[in-house]
Amino acid sequence: MTDTPTRRRTPEPKSWIEAIHAYVPGKSSGADGRPLIKLSANENPLGTSPRAIAAKAQAPSLYPDPDSKALRAKLGEMHGIDPARIVMGTGSDELLNLAAQGYAGPGDEVIYVRYGFSVYDIAARRCGATPIVAPDKDYGTDVDALLALVTERTRVVFIANPNNPTGSYLPKGEIARLHAALPADVVLVIDQAYGEYVAPADEDGALALALAHENVLVTRTFSKAYGLAGERIGWATGAPGLVATLNRIRGPFNVSGTGQAMAVAALEDTAFIQRSHDHNLAERGRFVAAIESMGNHGLRALPSEANFVLVLFDGTLTAEAAFNGLAERGYIVRWLPGQGLPQALRFTIGKSEDMDAILNGLREMAEAAK
């Protein structure tokens, strides 16, 4: 007679699910519930293309095209990619999770860099894989440190370029060197959520690598420069095998009909994207120069190629005090102690008047903390 297994009194999640720390989005209100000007989520301060807004009003509320054919065709035309090599996602977050789910599982390893996007850890744990964190180089990606951690169990490597939340950027030569040194069965995922903010002359070559190799997946999003964060639209491109894997496990209607229509219109409004790029370049440069002028107060801006700047607070004014002081002045920025950055704040580049108010507040607090 065999023993009957003892049933649990309540459902229990898998151990690797219990180990996940849920993603914490940027706040939009103060401790008292008062609405604040939000510079914590890297949204486009210029809003959304008027052409995309007009397209939303005309889109029917029916089941969307499950394959996003018109949107993939427009993306393919813009980037010189066969639409069959493009897969759409509910934001790039879905695609990052699908990449891990499709190629890693219990007993496998997923590598990402310290101070990388927090979703990478979630994506690894969600499929039961072990996350491996590579040491950084002054808050940026260290290719050699990452490669030193590759083992026979490595299945996926995540790189954000530009990196969130630090803004660091790997040039084309370093991306190519990283890929060349990886085993052919390791998927290199290059997350270009902020790619539209990088000057074309400085592009990292990731799309060309994805076109030429079987193990490179590039992800992008409409949430940042295109101003469509609320619509949740992302896309990825890679070899047919990678795209087929993601298509097998993605949601069948994962991009809404309104989202598809808005994204097509946003791609066509190249003038809006150029204005967004130019505004960010000018305001980011002005903000960084102002932070550098406060270096004697212990403030340091890390180099950034994105639409945000990470500022370190190494003086008498702490990041926590600055975070709270700015909230009292009506602004919310991103404080990241949960990502090992209690000494830093991430500032989304906003409108000129908002950046002026932020800088004035920091100067006042730095002087008062002396």
Side-chain angles (χ1 to χ4, degrees):
M1 181 175 179
T2 58
D3 293 332
T4 302
T6 301
R7 300 300 301 242
R8 298 184 176 91
R9 295 177 63 87
T10 59
E12 288 190 12
K14 296 296 185 182
S15 58
W16 54 82
I17 299 297
E18 285 190 302
I20 292 175
H21 296 284
Y23 178 78
V24 180
K27 297 180 180 179
S28 57
S29 61
D32 58 358
R34 177 169 50 101
L36 303 175
I37 294 175
K38 188 179 178 185
L39 297 178
S40 60
N42 302 336
E43 294 160 316
N44 189 333
L46 304 188
T48 305
S49 158
R51 293 174 64 171
I53 294 172
K56 181 176 184 177
Q58 298 172 7
S61 294
L62 303 173
Y63 275 115
D65 172 8
D67 297 318
S68 303
K69 289 187 288 292
L71 178 51
R72 289 191 298 112
K74 180 60 67 172
L75 284 165
E77 175 188 336
M78 173 174 285
H79 295 283
I81 301 170
D82 179 355
R85 295 176 64 122
I86 295 173
V87 55
M88 304 306 301
T90 307
S92 55
D93 289 3
E94 181 190 20
L95 299 165
L96 297 171
N97 276 283
L98 293 179
Q101 182 182 346
Y103 290 94
D108 297 329
E109 295 176 347
V110 172
I111 301 177
Y112 64 92
V113 179
R114 182 164 53 193
Y115 310 127
F117 187 29
S118 58
V119 165
Y120 304 151
D121 185 84
I122 295 173
R125 296 182 188 278
R126 184 178 177 183
C127 64
T130 301
I132 304 295
V133 183
D136 64 294
K137 179 188 289 183
D138 194 23
Y139 299 93
T141 300
D142 185 332
V143 169
D144 293 314
L146 189 153
L147 290 172
L149 294 174
V150 174
T151 71
E152 62 183 12
R153 290 178 294 182
T154 303
R155 294 293 176 265
V156 179
V157 172
F158 284 113
I159 294 291
N161 209 39
N163 184 55
N164 176 27
T166 66
S168 63
Y169 189 68
L170 280 182
K172 180 184 295 187
E174 284 296 275
I175 290 288
R177 185 169 74 88
L178 169 61
H179 173 258
L182 288 175
D185 62 347
V186 172
V187 179
L188 174 60
V189 180
I190 304 172
D191 175 1
Q192 293 188 330
Y194 302 91
E196 286 78 13
Y197 291 107
V198 177
D202 297 327
E203 65 93 16
D204 63 9
L207 290 176
L209 283 176
L211 183 64
H213 299 279
E214 299 292 319
N215 66 333
V216 179
L217 186 76
V218 177
T219 64
R220 286 202 172 190
T221 182
F222 283 83
S223 295
K224 308 306 178 185
Y226 288 100
L228 294 175
E231 298 301 321
R232 310 308 304 130
I233 313 163
W235 63 281
T237 185
L242 296 178
V243 170
T245 296
L246 270 59
N247 269 321
R248 287 188 182 98
I249 54 179
R250 67 173 175 85
F253 298 101
N254 58 344
V255 181
S256 71
T258 54
Q260 291 179 40
M262 292 181 78
V264 169
L267 289 170
E268 293 173 343
D269 195 349
T270 55
F272 176 81
I273 294 302
Q274 189 62 52
R275 285 198 305 276
S276 299
H277 178 276
D278 293 347
H279 171 86
N280 182 72
L281 186 64
E283 288 300 321
R284 188 182 68 200
R286 195 168 68 88
F287 180 74
V288 169
I291 293 297
E292 288 175 349
S293 73
M294 290 184 263
N296 60 322
H297 293 291
L299 275 65
R300 174 190 166 203
L302 295 182
S304 175
E305 293 293 331
N307 69 335
F308 59 83
V309 175
L310 192 75
V311 176
L312 306 179
F313 290 76
D314 295 324
T316 52
L317 175 63
T318 66
E320 182 177 10
F323 174 81
N324 292 328
L326 290 172
E328 292 171 1
R329 290 166 169 81
Y331 289 89
I332 192 77
V333 297
R334 197 80 150 101
W335 184 39
L336 296 163
Q339 285 186 248
L341 291 165
Q343 78 283 23
L345 295 179
R346 192 191 67 191
F347 296 83
T348 300
I349 301 302
K351 298 177 181 177
S352 299
E353 58 268 29
D354 292 329
M355 302 314 294
D356 286 339
I358 289 283
L359 289 167
N360 289 335
L362 290 174
R363 291 189 189 100
E364 292 170 2
M365 289 185 284
E367 284 295 328
K370 284 173 51 177

